[in-house]
């Protein structure tokens, strides 16, 4: 039987469910690929990318494979587009400021989108918009939190 020579070292460990996971170790001198921090990503823009791929592929699982993420993450982002108010989604598409995006994280938006009480959702979104605008050097649409509060009062 011929011997197999491995060209890369691997690390093996067990998962909580008892499965085994094998990860390749970095070769000497190999530099990691720089990756954008998840805190500096605009969740609504990423949801738009997922939606475009979903319309083409028609499956969250296939979109997840294409973007190298979990299907749950794809589903979470798509639900943001469905459940958040249109005015907020449009405002979020224009946000580029890293400090504001640290407030408007996918987790915060997911929490807001899961709220069944629309009044509480609008209050939370207005609060998030005010926090984000306080962190930005400029305000792109300083009237959004006021419009969200007006929607709250109308309900």
């Amino acid at each position: 039987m011929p011997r197999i020579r491995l060209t890369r070292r691997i690390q093996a460990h067990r998962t909580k469910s008892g499965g085994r996971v094998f990860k390749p170790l970095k070769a000497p001198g190999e530099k990691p690929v720089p990756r954008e921090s998840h805190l500096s990503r605009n969740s609504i823009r990423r949801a738009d990318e997922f939606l475009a791929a979903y319309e083409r592929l028609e499956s969250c699982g296939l979109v997840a494979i294409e973007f190298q993420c979990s299907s749950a993450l794809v589903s979470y982002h798509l639900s943001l587009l469905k459940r958040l108010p249109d005015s907020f989604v449009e405002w979020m598409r224009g946000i580029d400021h890293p400090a504001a995006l640290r407030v408007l994280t996918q987790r915060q938006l997911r929490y807001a989108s899961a709220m069944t009480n629309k009044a509480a959702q609008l209050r939370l979104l207005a609060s998030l918009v005010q926090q984000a605008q306080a962190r930005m050097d400029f305000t792109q649409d300083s009237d959004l939190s006021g419009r969200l509060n007006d929607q709250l009062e109308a309900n």
Side-chain angles (χ1 to χ4, degrees):
M1 178 185 251
R3 287 185 88 175
I4 298 173
R5 182 178 172 151
L6 297 175
T7 57
R8 291 191 75 173
R9 295 178 58 198
I10 59 171
Q11 175 186 20
H13 63 89
R14 294 213 180 260
T15 63
K16 290 179 183 177
S17 61
R20 295 176 91 188
V21 177
F22 299 97
K23 293 182 181 179
L25 295 175
K26 288 184 274 182
E30 182 180 348
K31 293 187 178 185
V33 178
R35 199 172 131 184
E36 183 183 13
S37 168
H38 71 281
L39 293 176
S40 62
R41 290 185 190 152
N42 187 323
S43 296
I44 298 298
R45 281 200 209 137
R46 192 160 190 217
D48 288 336
E49 293 172 9
F50 288 159
L51 181 62
Y54 182 79
E55 289 171 350
R56 186 172 32 101
L57 300 172
E58 299 178 354
S59 165
C60 284
L62 294 175
V63 173
I65 290 170
E66 183 176 312
F67 284 92
Q68 298 178 350
C69 63
S70 70
S71 58
L73 187 69
V74 173
S75 178
Y76 293 149
H77 277 83
L78 293 178
S79 71
L80 294 179
L81 295 176
K82 293 178 192 171
R83 296 179 179 173
L84 291 175
D86 292 336
S87 59
F88 179 78
V89 170
E90 286 302 318
W91 179 79
M92 270 292 295
R93 284 187 177 119
I95 296 296
D96 285 330
H97 203 279
L101 293 175
R102 285 191 181 90
V103 172
L104 301 164
T105 62
Q106 184 256 342
R107 184 173 290 171
Q108 286 282 359
L109 297 179
R110 196 169 89 202
Y111 177 73
S113 71
M115 293 179 136
T116 55
N117 184 347
K118 291 297 178 188
Q121 181 189 47
L122 292 172
R123 274 195 301 275
L124 176 61
L125 290 175
S127 169
L128 288 174
V129 167
Q130 287 175 348
Q131 290 175 32
Q133 287 176 342
R135 290 182 173 217
M136 291 192 292
D137 299 332
F138 59 94
T139 57
Q140 294 178 335
D141 187 358
S142 59
D143 192 39
L144 179 67
S145 62
R147 285 193 312 235
L148 290 172
N149 284 329
D150 291 343
Q151 285 181 5
L152 175 65
E153 291 170 4
N155 291 336

